[in-house]
Amino acid sequence: MTDQPHYAVRSGASHSRSIGITKRATPLTLTWTGDQRVRFSDFQVNEIGKDGKVVHLRYLGSADGQAVPPPQEPVEDSKEKTKSEQTIDKAKDADPPKEEKQPEVAAEDVAVLAGLTSDKFAADLVLLYQGGSGADGEKLTSVTSDPVDDKSKRGQIHGEVRRIFKSTLETNTEDSGAIVAVKVSSRKGRRRNNRGPRDQREEKPAGEFLHFTLYKDNRDTMDAVNQIARALRIKPQSVCYAGTKDRRASTAQRCSVRYVRQRALAGASSKLWGIATGDYEYREQPLHLGELLGNEFVIVIKNCKIIGETTERPLLETLEALKTHAQTALDRMADQGWINYFGHQRFGTYQVGTHEVGKLIIGGKWEEAVMALLSYDAEIASKVADGEVPQEAMKRDMYARHHACMLFKTGQDPEKAVKLMPSRFAAETCILRHLTRLGKASLNDFSGALTHITRGLRSMYLHAYQSHVWNNAASRRWELHGDKVVKGDLVIVEGEAAPLVAGQDQDGDDIVNPVEDEDEASVRARPLTEDEAASGRYTIHDVVLPSPGYDVVYPDNEIGDFYKDFMAREENGGLDPHNMRRIRREFSLPGRYRKLMGRFLAPPSIDFRLYDDEAEQMHPTDMDAIKAARGGGGKRPRDGDAKDDAARKRAKVNGDADAVDKGDEPVAEAPSQQQQASEEEDKMQQGEDEATQAGSKIAAVVKFQLGSSAYATVVLRELMGDLPDESGQTTSGEADA
């Protein structure tokens, strides 16, 4: 496993205030901090299914124990597809036996095949027909296409192959929809040897869809899905999942794929680095987006320290203070909940926040929105222009982005900017391609450029602005009324589903279920009367706040007025919450309701321990558990490998008396008060010595379950407090009311 750079647990108080996070519901006696994701396995996310069960990878392969070994070495991605010109040239240049004349294939026939299937399959058919060799130098005996879902199109392909190659090639359709072509003589030989494609099939599965558990290390869900699809030679859209999972983490989630056998999936995934699949099961229906209850997080925070104190405490005293304080705060959160803010990652990691872009789009300021998306660092762009490019791939792409944006915005070379922009920057790529598609004629089509951004990404900017407004409204609501229910507060109309969908995560903790507005059933809310608010029937956990839109109602009290005043400010877009429809339908926002208070799905836990090695794995991942079950091979560094005496010392320091061997000791007489005092002093000194031997740094292991709309970073902020900003201000201390 490759160690990752340190990431702060959360941003400082000043950044929190900039996105509306200013209040807290949990009183804190102290503020503490630490390093999160020192290793990506320090952040573990396991999906919780609709049945309430936590998803874990239990078997590599099928549940009957037919396991596939996990990948041990990284395998670099290979480009499977080449351009048609290269592949056709390769087919023409293949050297046939000198005694045979190479049969010709008309270029227009190759083009027909390429149009029906792909350039690669068309070129492979030519190679097969002409007796050419594959990439490994072996003579081709069969070729296979990507899956073709359209039955009529498959029939057309079969007919064209027979016509073009004069029935010397024979084609058949696999269960996956892929078309296999063989030479007639070759096929007969293959069948005699019992090696034909159909002879290798498993028994017909019980369902059309193969469900499986996807485990991944340091990869986002889309990256893992794309790699699996590439290995299986299917479209990424064929792999379904309930929600996206964070990249900088070890995660497990359920997925499904159609017309794929478990042997093929096991073989494909075993060759991929950082990806494993298992626990296969055939079902009649696929997994649908949003088909989950939430996620279980196990987060390791290393190098924990108390901040804001003038004198530094001894290690053991710090450990005990953290244990006492954190457990008290966590118990309070489990009982009372916390303000259900949208987390920092929803607002982006670039200089211009996603909510700033969304504000410009909603306000119809197309050019400003485009220029905000193409913002760049002039210093970095200049370094690239001078040839200073970092070796690390991620940094290299980031530098290339700044350079490309500079070339476009300064007008130096817009065409070159398109070529330089790394494809992983999807929004920038879409914008540059659209603005340069017709030369100067399209350079000013800013609204068109925005609509060419993929729908999900475009929605992310709009939802980020809504989240910014919601956070500020939630802070104002708590500031005025705390946990008291008041007249005009909104509650969901009886019989309606709870509004828990939060939207697509940007780049941090796993926020799943990006549901498009028109795909979600409308949820209705209503304001409480004064009598209802005073009746005790409703609690703060029933109160919801709307994100601004045309299909929501606003609180019938001063919070409703706050929406109007806040959004009308110039810095917030000069917008009207009651006018959220736009001429362009894709920029119109219906709005949603979100619970004011967040709650855990199960009792949380926190454990503090001492350590020395930053590479120590504090909590085993699913892959660690599988390897341990196989006999202990492949453990992570320092994961449970401490010697007996070190383990006993650690147990002593952490107060686990039962874990320490006591031995048979004679019963002594009761000590005097002086002896007791002396022994207590000796024990304290011994404790400090043993603490130093057990470890010189403190780590926390926090475990909790959240619904699909809650943010782990918000939970950690509520538990730990804000880091102080430049002025020394934090929001720790007594809860706001």
Side-chain angles (χ1 to χ4, degrees), residues 569-588:
R569 298 173 194 167
E570 185 63 31
E571 65 269 22
N572 297 323
L575 300 171
D576 180 1
H578 298 282
N579 181 22
M580 299 301 290
R581 290 188 184 273
R582 298 294 180 268
I583 295 175
R584 286 186 175 271
R585 182 172 176 269
E586 58 268 30
F587 297 153
S588 294

Side-chain angles (χ1 to χ4, degrees), residues 15 144 281 305 309 346 435 461 591 624 659-660 700 727:
H15 181 51
T144 306
E281 179 185 5
K305 296 178 180 179
E309 293 188 334
R346 189 167 179 81
L435 293 178
Y461 300 120
D624 290 335
V660 183
S727 64

Side-chain angles (χ1 to χ4, degrees), residues 389-457:
V389 180
Q391 295 297 317
E392 187 182 336
M394 292 287 286
K395 285 186 177 180
R396 190 166 59 246
D397 281 353
M398 181 63 73
Y399 274 50
R401 178 200 172 276
H402 287 289
H403 188 209
C405 290
M406 184 268 288
L407 290 176
F408 179 84
K409 293 183 75 173
T410 59
Q412 293 182 36
D413 196 339
E415 298 296 334
K416 185 178 179 181
V418 179
K419 297 176 182 177
L420 290 178
M421 181 63 70
S423 59
R424 74 184 187 91
F425 296 103
E428 293 92 329
T429 299
C430 290
I431 286 173
L432 292 180
R433 285 178 179 172
H434 180 80
L435 293 178
T436 58
R437 78 193 191 286
L438 299 176
K440 292 183 178 180
S442 57
L443 279 177
N444 294 321
D445 185 15
F446 300 111
S447 62
L450 291 170
T451 57
H452 273 73
I453 298 175
T454 58
R455 186 184 182 200
L457 191 55

Side-chain angles (χ1 to χ4, degrees), residues 49 143 238 244 373:
V143 295
S238 301
T244 58
L373 285 168

Side-chain angles (χ1 to χ4, degrees), residues 243-261:
T244 58
K245 297 289 178 283
D246 190 18
R247 179 178 68 83
R248 296 190 303 274
S250 296
T251 74
Q253 65 189 112
R254 291 295 284 179
C255 301
S256 69
V257 60
R258 191 180 190 185
Y259 296 142
V260 171
R261 301 297 177 89

Side-chain angles (χ1 to χ4, degrees), residues 285-353:
Q285 298 296 325
L287 191 68
H288 296 288
L289 197 64
E291 200 172 323
L292 80 171
L293 188 63
N295 297 281
E296 180 176 84
F297 295 85
V298 179
I299 301 172
V300 176
I301 305 167
K302 292 179 177 174
N303 199 27
C304 298
K305 296 178 180 179
I306 299 172
I307 61 176
E309 293 188 334
T310 55
T311 58
E312 186 175 349
R313 307 188 192 207
L315 183 66
L316 268 185
E317 188 178 327
T318 300
L319 179 67
E320 290 305 317
L322 286 172
K323 283 183 178 180
T324 302
H325 160 80
Q327 191 61 58
T328 301
L330 197 61
D331 290 345
R332 171 67 181 259
M333 291 172 64
D335 184 49
Q336 303 294 330
W338 61 91
I339 304 173
N340 195 24
Y341 287 121
F342 289 96
H344 296 77
Q345 66 275 14
R346 189 167 179 81
F347 303 95
T349 57
Y350 298 120
Q351 185 175 5
V352 179

